[in-house]
Amino acid sequence: MILQATLLLAGLAVASGSICCPPDQFNAYQYVNFVNSTTTVEALYYMVYDGVNQRYLITGDRSNGQVVSTTKVIYDYRQRTAYNIDAQAGTCTTFPIQGNFEDQQSVCVPSEAVPIGPFFYGYNQNRLNAQSYTYNTTSPDGGRQRVTIVVSDAGCIPLVIARTTTGGAGGNSFYQVGYNDFYPGIRDITVFDIPSYC
């Protein structure tokens, strides 16, 4: 009950132009599927989301066909730079990032989203009540995107996000992410420390 109240209060800090947003800072696991005409990626990532400082971190194992690799990428939108860090090898590469922080990860439900209806997980008193929405957007490379998002009633916690992209430089693709083990706040802020070798 305390966690539900905390999530509800944290969700009241809604971003401008949004129906609802999760807490500004959270940790969660993401199970990701991405498919286009040339690639299929399945991944289990650990995500740390820091909306206060406009950055997020994704780390974990990614299975791309036969290749399994460990990644740690910090996306820092204030610096407009992403850091791809391999702590084991002691290497780091950087690359510029496009777009606005608020548009990344699709964790907020924007004001133009259309409600699809209620969604429920489980049953009886253990049932998790959720809402589903859909909306259209444009990717940084000009692709048209249709996004469907399912969020919890209490706290607007993302549960499932599906994004279909057509056109644009990246071609047609489907991206789906399921969230689990959601935790409001940041357990260890040092995950955002950039190593000296970057």
PDB file of all heavy atoms in Angstrom, residues 29-55:
ATOM      1  N   TYR A  29      13.691  -3.409 -15.306  1.00  0.00           N
ATOM      2  CA  TYR A  29      14.203  -4.318 -16.328  1.00  0.00           C
ATOM      3  C   TYR A  29      13.314  -4.175 -17.553  1.00  0.00           C
ATOM      4  O   TYR A  29      12.102  -4.009 -17.436  1.00  0.00           O
ATOM      5  CB  TYR A  29      14.210  -5.767 -15.842  1.00  0.00           C
ATOM      6  CG  TYR A  29      15.343  -6.042 -14.901  1.00  0.00           C
ATOM      7  CD1 TYR A  29      15.176  -5.926 -13.527  1.00  0.00           C
ATOM      8  CD2 TYR A  29      16.600  -6.398 -15.382  1.00  0.00           C
ATOM      9  CE1 TYR A  29      16.226  -6.162 -12.655  1.00  0.00           C
ATOM     10  CE2 TYR A  29      17.660  -6.635 -14.524  1.00  0.00           C
ATOM     11  CZ  TYR A  29      17.463  -6.512 -13.161  1.00  0.00           C
ATOM     12  OH  TYR A  29      18.503  -6.737 -12.311  1.00  0.00           O
ATOM     13  N   GLN A  30      13.922  -4.241 -18.731  1.00  0.00           N
ATOM     14  CA  GLN A  30      13.200  -4.177 -19.988  1.00  0.00           C
ATOM     15  C   GLN A  30      13.484  -5.446 -20.779  1.00  0.00           C
ATOM     16  O   GLN A  30      14.642  -5.814 -20.958  1.00  0.00           O
ATOM     17  CB  GLN A  30      13.690  -3.014 -20.863  1.00  0.00           C
ATOM     18  CG  GLN A  30      13.480  -1.645 -20.332  1.00  0.00           C
ATOM     19  CD  GLN A  30      14.053  -0.613 -21.309  1.00  0.00           C
ATOM     20  OE1 GLN A  30      15.131  -0.782 -21.847  1.00  0.00           O
ATOM     21  NE2 GLN A  30      13.326   0.465 -21.508  1.00  0.00           N
ATOM     22  N   TYR A  31      12.411  -6.087 -21.248  1.00  0.00           N
ATOM     23  CA  TYR A  31      12.586  -7.166 -22.213  1.00  0.00           C
ATOM     24  C   TYR A  31      12.210  -6.584 -23.562  1.00  0.00           C
ATOM     25  O   TYR A  31      11.076  -6.150 -23.776  1.00  0.00           O
ATOM     26  CB  TYR A  31      11.725  -8.387 -21.891  1.00  0.00           C
ATOM     27  CG  TYR A  31      11.981  -9.482 -22.898  1.00  0.00           C
ATOM     28  CD1 TYR A  31      13.161 -10.220 -22.854  1.00  0.00           C
ATOM     29  CD2 TYR A  31      11.088  -9.739 -23.919  1.00  0.00           C
ATOM     30  CE1 TYR A  31      13.431 -11.196 -23.798  1.00  0.00           C
ATOM     31  CE2 TYR A  31      11.348 -10.712 -24.858  1.00  0.00           C
ATOM     32  CZ  TYR A  31      12.521 -11.437 -24.792  1.00  0.00           C
ATOM     33  OH  TYR A  31      12.793 -12.392 -25.729  1.00  0.00           O
ATOM     34  N   VAL A  32      13.181  -6.512 -24.482  1.00  0.00           N
ATOM     35  CA  VAL A  32      13.029  -5.789 -25.737  1.00  0.00           C
ATOM     36  C   VAL A  32      13.035  -6.751 -26.923  1.00  0.00           C
ATOM     37  O   VAL A  32      13.850  -7.669 -26.976  1.00  0.00           O
ATOM     38  CB  VAL A  32      14.181  -4.757 -25.904  1.00  0.00           C
ATOM     39  CG1 VAL A  32      14.097  -4.056 -27.245  1.00  0.00           C
ATOM     40  CG2 VAL A  32      14.169  -3.762 -24.753  1.00  0.00           C
ATOM     41  N   ASN A  33      12.138  -6.508 -27.867  1.00  0.00           N
ATOM     42  CA  ASN A  33      12.142  -7.171 -29.177  1.00  0.00           C
ATOM     43  C   ASN A  33      12.160  -6.077 -30.233  1.00  0.00           C
ATOM     44  O   ASN A  33      11.361  -5.138 -30.167  1.00  0.00           O
ATOM     45  CB  ASN A  33      10.888  -8.022 -29.393  1.00  0.00           C
ATOM     46  CG  ASN A  33      10.960  -9.311 -28.648  1.00  0.00           C
ATOM     47  OD1 ASN A  33      11.790 -10.150 -28.948  1.00  0.00           O
ATOM     48  ND2 ASN A  33      10.091  -9.478 -27.660  1.00  0.00           N
ATOM     49  N   PHE A  34      13.076  -6.196 -31.183  1.00  0.00           N
ATOM     50  CA  PHE A  34      13.158  -5.257 -32.297  1.00  0.00           C
ATOM     51  C   PHE A  34      13.318  -6.056 -33.581  1.00  0.00           C
ATOM     52  O   PHE A  34      14.158  -6.959 -33.650  1.00  0.00           O
ATOM     53  CB  PHE A  34      14.349  -4.308 -32.137  1.00  0.00           C
ATOM     54  CG  PHE A  34      14.572  -3.424 -33.334  1.00  0.00           C
ATOM     55  CD1 PHE A  34      13.828  -2.281 -33.512  1.00  0.00           C
ATOM     56  CD2 PHE A  34      15.509  -3.764 -34.300  1.00  0.00           C
ATOM     57  CE1 PHE A  34      14.013  -1.472 -34.633  1.00  0.00           C
ATOM     58  CE2 PHE A  34      15.709  -2.967 -35.416  1.00  0.00           C
ATOM     59  CZ  PHE A  34      14.962  -1.818 -35.583  1.00  0.00           C
ATOM     60  N   VAL A  35      12.516  -5.731 -34.589  1.00  0.00           N
ATOM     61  CA  VAL A  35      12.563  -6.448 -35.866  1.00  0.00           C
ATOM     62  C   VAL A  35      12.461  -5.431 -37.000  1.00  0.00           C
ATOM     63  O   VAL A  35      11.615  -4.534 -36.962  1.00  0.00           O
ATOM     64  CB  VAL A  35      11.390  -7.452 -35.988  1.00  0.00           C
ATOM     65  CG1 VAL A  35      11.414  -8.166 -37.330  1.00  0.00           C
ATOM     66  CG2 VAL A  35      11.396  -8.439 -34.850  1.00  0.00           C
ATOM     67  N   ASN A  36      13.348  -5.572 -38.003  1.00  0.00           N
ATOM     68  CA  ASN A  36      13.175  -4.873 -39.272  1.00  0.00           C
ATOM     69  C   ASN A  36      13.548  -5.847 -40.379  1.00  0.00           C
ATOM     70  O   ASN A  36      13.722  -7.039 -40.121  1.00  0.00           O
ATOM     71  CB  ASN A  36      13.955  -3.554 -39.328  1.00  0.00           C
ATOM     72  CG  ASN A  36      15.455  -3.728 -39.317  1.00  0.00           C
ATOM     73  OD1 ASN A  36      15.989  -4.825 -39.541  1.00  0.00           O
ATOM     74  ND2 ASN A  36      16.166  -2.645 -39.056  1.00  0.00           N
ATOM     75  N   SER A  37      13.728  -5.371 -41.587  1.00  0.00           N
ATOM     76  CA  SER A  37      13.958  -6.282 -42.712  1.00  0.00           C
ATOM     77  C   SER A  37      15.307  -6.981 -42.649  1.00  0.00           C
ATOM     78  O   SER A  37      15.503  -8.006 -43.302  1.00  0.00           O
ATOM     79  CB  SER A  37      13.818  -5.541 -44.042  1.00  0.00           C
ATOM     80  OG  SER A  37      14.784  -4.513 -44.115  1.00  0.00           O
ATOM     81  N   THR A  38      16.252  -6.470 -41.871  1.00  0.00           N
ATOM     82  CA  THR A  38      17.597  -7.067 -41.831  1.00  0.00           C
ATOM     83  C   THR A  38      18.016  -7.557 -40.450  1.00  0.00           C
ATOM     84  O   THR A  38      19.005  -8.274 -40.333  1.00  0.00           O
ATOM     85  CB  THR A  38      18.660  -6.059 -42.311  1.00  0.00           C
ATOM     86  OG1 THR A  38      18.631  -4.916 -41.445  1.00  0.00           O
ATOM     87  CG2 THR A  38      18.391  -5.635 -43.736  1.00  0.00           C
ATOM     88  N   THR A  39      17.293  -7.182 -39.400  1.00  0.00           N
ATOM     89  CA  THR A  39      17.759  -7.450 -38.036  1.00  0.00           C
ATOM     90  C   THR A  39      16.628  -7.936 -37.142  1.00  0.00           C
ATOM     91  O   THR A  39      15.505  -7.462 -37.257  1.00  0.00           O
ATOM     92  CB  THR A  39      18.347  -6.163 -37.408  1.00  0.00           C
ATOM     93  OG1 THR A  39      19.349  -5.648 -38.270  1.00  0.00           O
ATOM     94  CG2 THR A  39      18.933  -6.421 -36.050  1.00  0.00           C
ATOM     95  N   THR A  40      16.965  -8.859 -36.264  1.00  0.00           N
ATOM     96  CA  THR A  40      16.078  -9.245 -35.175  1.00  0.00           C
ATOM     97  C   THR A  40      16.897  -9.207 -33.896  1.00  0.00           C
ATOM     98  O   THR A  40      17.958  -9.822 -33.814  1.00  0.00           O
ATOM     99  CB  THR A  40      15.529 -10.674 -35.375  1.00  0.00           C
ATOM    100  OG1 THR A  40      14.779 -10.696 -36.592  1.00  0.00           O
ATOM    101  CG2 THR A  40      14.640 -11.083 -34.223  1.00  0.00           C
ATOM    102  N   VAL A  41      16.435  -8.449 -32.916  1.00  0.00           N
ATOM    103  CA  VAL A  41      17.156  -8.319 -31.655  1.00  0.00           C
ATOM    104  C   VAL A  41      16.205  -8.659 -30.512  1.00  0.00           C
ATOM    105  O   VAL A  41      15.088  -8.156 -30.462  1.00  0.00           O
ATOM    106  CB  VAL A  41      17.703  -6.885 -31.460  1.00  0.00           C
ATOM    107  CG1 VAL A  41      18.338  -6.724 -30.089  1.00  0.00           C
ATOM    108  CG2 VAL A  41      18.693  -6.524 -32.551  1.00  0.00           C
ATOM    109  N   GLU A  42      16.656  -9.507 -29.607  1.00  0.00           N
ATOM    110  CA  GLU A  42      15.967  -9.767 -28.345  1.00  0.00           C
ATOM    111  C   GLU A  42      16.942  -9.415 -27.251  1.00  0.00           C
ATOM    112  O   GLU A  42      18.129  -9.748 -27.346  1.00  0.00           O
ATOM    113  CB  GLU A  42      15.559 -11.228 -28.220  1.00  0.00           C
ATOM    114  CG  GLU A  42      14.482 -11.646 -29.186  1.00  0.00           C
ATOM    115  CD  GLU A  42      14.110 -13.100 -28.980  1.00  0.00           C
ATOM    116  OE1 GLU A  42      15.015 -13.920 -28.754  1.00  0.00           O
ATOM    117  OE2 GLU A  42      12.914 -13.394 -29.047  1.00  0.00           O
ATOM    118  N   ALA A  43      16.471  -8.742 -26.217  1.00  0.00           N
ATOM    119  CA  ALA A  43      17.397  -8.303 -25.178  1.00  0.00           C
ATOM    120  C   ALA A  43      16.692  -8.213 -23.839  1.00  0.00           C
ATOM    121  O   ALA A  43      15.498  -7.938 -23.769  1.00  0.00           O
ATOM    122  CB  ALA A  43      17.981  -6.943 -25.547  1.00  0.00           C
ATOM    123  N   LEU A  44      17.455  -8.440 -22.798  1.00  0.00           N
ATOM    124  CA  LEU A  44      17.015  -8.154 -21.439  1.00  0.00           C
ATOM    125  C   LEU A  44      17.963  -7.093 -20.917  1.00  0.00           C
ATOM    126  O   LEU A  44      19.160  -7.340 -20.748  1.00  0.00           O
ATOM    127  CB  LEU A  44      17.059  -9.397 -20.549  1.00  0.00           C
ATOM    128  CG  LEU A  44      16.654  -9.145 -19.097  1.00  0.00           C
ATOM    129  CD1 LEU A  44      15.209  -8.640 -19.003  1.00  0.00           C
ATOM    130  CD2 LEU A  44      16.827 -10.404 -18.267  1.00  0.00           C
ATOM    131  N   TYR A  45      17.431  -5.895 -20.722  1.00  0.00           N
ATOM    132  CA  TYR A  45      18.240  -4.757 -20.279  1.00  0.00           C
ATOM    133  C   TYR A  45      17.835  -4.344 -18.871  1.00  0.00           C
ATOM    134  O   TYR A  45      16.691  -4.510 -18.460  1.00  0.00           O
ATOM    135  CB  TYR A  45      18.028  -3.543 -21.189  1.00  0.00           C
ATOM    136  CG  TYR A  45      18.563  -3.674 -22.575  1.00  0.00           C
ATOM    137  CD1 TYR A  45      17.761  -3.369 -23.669  1.00  0.00           C
ATOM    138  CD2 TYR A  45      19.863  -4.063 -22.823  1.00  0.00           C
ATOM    139  CE1 TYR A  45      18.252  -3.454 -24.961  1.00  0.00           C
ATOM    140  CE2 TYR A  45      20.359  -4.153 -24.112  1.00  0.00           C
ATOM    141  CZ  TYR A  45      19.545  -3.848 -25.174  1.00  0.00           C
ATOM    142  OH  TYR A  45      20.034  -3.934 -26.445  1.00  0.00           O
ATOM    143  N   TYR A  46      18.787  -3.750 -18.190  1.00  0.00           N
ATOM    144  CA  TYR A  46      18.498  -3.042 -16.945  1.00  0.00           C
ATOM    145  C   TYR A  46      18.554  -1.565 -17.285  1.00  0.00           C
ATOM    146  O   TYR A  46      19.524  -1.095 -17.883  1.00  0.00           O
ATOM    147  CB  TYR A  46      19.521  -3.398 -15.868  1.00  0.00           C
ATOM    148  CG  TYR A  46      19.269  -2.703 -14.559  1.00  0.00           C
ATOM    149  CD1 TYR A  46      18.143  -3.004 -13.797  1.00  0.00           C
ATOM    150  CD2 TYR A  46      20.152  -1.739 -14.079  1.00  0.00           C
ATOM    151  CE1 TYR A  46      17.911  -2.370 -12.599  1.00  0.00           C
ATOM    152  CE2 TYR A  46      19.928  -1.113 -12.871  1.00  0.00           C
ATOM    153  CZ  TYR A  46      18.802  -1.423 -12.126  1.00  0.00           C
ATOM    154  OH  TYR A  46      18.563  -0.793 -10.941  1.00  0.00           O
ATOM    155  N   MET A  47      17.516  -0.838 -16.945  1.00  0.00           N
ATOM    156  CA  MET A  47      17.426   0.577 -17.292  1.00  0.00           C
ATOM    157  C   MET A  47      17.373   1.427 -16.040  1.00  0.00           C
ATOM    158  O   MET A  47      16.669   1.101 -15.088  1.00  0.00           O
ATOM    159  CB  MET A  47      16.167   0.832 -18.122  1.00  0.00           C
ATOM    160  CG  MET A  47      15.962   2.281 -18.461  1.00  0.00           C
ATOM    161  SD  MET A  47      14.333   2.515 -19.159  1.00  0.00           S
ATOM    162  CE  MET A  47      14.554   4.111 -19.888  1.00  0.00           C
ATOM    163  N   VAL A  48      18.111   2.524 -16.064  1.00  0.00           N
ATOM    164  CA  VAL A  48      18.034   3.536 -15.017  1.00  0.00           C
ATOM    165  C   VAL A  48      17.636   4.827 -15.715  1.00  0.00           C
ATOM    166  O   VAL A  48      18.351   5.304 -16.607  1.00  0.00           O
ATOM    167  CB  VAL A  48      19.371   3.702 -14.268  1.00  0.00           C
ATOM    168  CG1 VAL A  48      19.221   4.736 -13.158  1.00  0.00           C
ATOM    169  CG2 VAL A  48      19.840   2.369 -13.703  1.00  0.00           C
ATOM    170  N   TYR A  49      16.502   5.387 -15.338  1.00  0.00           N
ATOM    171  CA  TYR A  49      15.927   6.559 -15.996  1.00  0.00           C
ATOM    172  C   TYR A  49      16.022   7.748 -15.051  1.00  0.00           C
ATOM    173  O   TYR A  49      15.535   7.694 -13.928  1.00  0.00           O
ATOM    174  CB  TYR A  49      14.468   6.255 -16.345  1.00  0.00           C
ATOM    175  CG  TYR A  49      13.756   7.319 -17.131  1.00  0.00           C
ATOM    176  CD1 TYR A  49      13.802   7.326 -18.521  1.00  0.00           C
ATOM    177  CD2 TYR A  49      13.015   8.299 -16.499  1.00  0.00           C
ATOM    178  CE1 TYR A  49      13.126   8.282 -19.259  1.00  0.00           C
ATOM    179  CE2 TYR A  49      12.332   9.265 -17.226  1.00  0.00           C
ATOM    180  CZ  TYR A  49      12.399   9.253 -18.603  1.00  0.00           C
ATOM    181  OH  TYR A  49      11.732  10.204 -19.329  1.00  0.00           O
ATOM    182  N   ASP A  50      16.661   8.816 -15.510  1.00  0.00           N
ATOM    183  CA  ASP A  50      16.859  10.018 -14.699  1.00  0.00           C
ATOM    184  C   ASP A  50      16.295  11.223 -15.446  1.00  0.00           C
ATOM    185  O   ASP A  50      17.026  11.942 -16.130  1.00  0.00           O
ATOM    186  CB  ASP A  50      18.354  10.208 -14.397  1.00  0.00           C
ATOM    187  CG  ASP A  50      18.640  11.397 -13.488  1.00  0.00           C
ATOM    188  OD1 ASP A  50      17.675  12.062 -13.040  1.00  0.00           O
ATOM    189  OD2 ASP A  50      19.820  11.659 -13.236  1.00  0.00           O
ATOM    190  N   GLY A  51      14.998  11.428 -15.311  1.00  0.00           N
ATOM    191  CA  GLY A  51      14.346  12.548 -15.981  1.00  0.00           C
ATOM    192  C   GLY A  51      14.764  13.891 -15.424  1.00  0.00           C
ATOM    193  O   GLY A  51      14.725  14.898 -16.132  1.00  0.00           O
ATOM    194  N   VAL A  52      15.172  13.938 -14.170  1.00  0.00           N
ATOM    195  CA  VAL A  52      15.610  15.190 -13.553  1.00  0.00           C
ATOM    196  C   VAL A  52      16.822  15.747 -14.292  1.00  0.00           C
ATOM    197  O   VAL A  52      16.902  16.947 -14.567  1.00  0.00           O
ATOM    198  CB  VAL A  52      15.933  14.979 -12.054  1.00  0.00           C
ATOM    199  CG1 VAL A  52      16.538  16.232 -11.443  1.00  0.00           C
ATOM    200  CG2 VAL A  52      14.683  14.538 -11.298  1.00  0.00           C
ATOM    201  N   ASN A  53      17.763  14.877 -14.638  1.00  0.00           N
ATOM    202  CA  ASN A  53      19.000  15.292 -15.316  1.00  0.00           C
ATOM    203  C   ASN A  53      19.015  14.946 -16.805  1.00  0.00           C
ATOM    204  O   ASN A  53      20.069  15.018 -17.443  1.00  0.00           O
ATOM    205  CB  ASN A  53      20.198  14.659 -14.615  1.00  0.00           C
ATOM    206  CG  ASN A  53      20.333  15.170 -13.202  1.00  0.00           C
ATOM    207  OD1 ASN A  53      20.522  16.363 -12.985  1.00  0.00           O
ATOM    208  ND2 ASN A  53      20.176  14.275 -12.226  1.00  0.00           N
ATOM    209  N   GLN A  54      17.882  14.555 -17.353  1.00  0.00           N
ATOM    210  CA  GLN A  54      17.712  14.239 -18.770  1.00  0.00           C
ATOM    211  C   GLN A  54      18.754  13.241 -19.282  1.00  0.00           C
ATOM    212  O   GLN A  54      19.501  13.503 -20.223  1.00  0.00           O
ATOM    213  CB  GLN A  54      17.738  15.515 -19.619  1.00  0.00           C
ATOM    214  CG  GLN A  54      16.585  16.423 -19.328  1.00  0.00           C
ATOM    215  CD  GLN A  54      16.460  17.543 -20.337  1.00  0.00           C
ATOM    216  OE1 GLN A  54      17.355  17.824 -21.111  1.00  0.00           O
ATOM    217  NE2 GLN A  54      15.311  18.195 -20.329  1.00  0.00           N
ATOM    218  N   ARG A  55      18.758  12.082 -18.659  1.00  0.00           N
ATOM    219  CA  ARG A  55      19.678  11.021 -19.071  1.00  0.00           C
ATOM    220  C   ARG A  55      19.079   9.672 -18.691  1.00  0.00           C
ATOM    221  O   ARG A  55      18.216   9.581 -17.810  1.00  0.00           O
ATOM    222  CB  ARG A  55      21.052  11.198 -18.423  1.00  0.00           C
ATOM    223  CG  ARG A  55      20.988  11.155 -16.906  1.00  0.00           C
ATOM    224  CD  ARG A  55      22.288  11.556 -16.266  1.00  0.00           C
ATOM    225  NE  ARG A  55      22.140  11.529 -14.804  1.00  0.00           N
ATOM    226  CZ  ARG A  55      23.115  11.769 -13.976  1.00  0.00           C
ATOM    227  NH1 ARG A  55      24.328  12.056 -14.427  1.00  0.00           N
ATOM    228  NH2 ARG A  55      22.918  11.729 -12.674  1.00  0.00           N
TER     229      ARG A  55
END
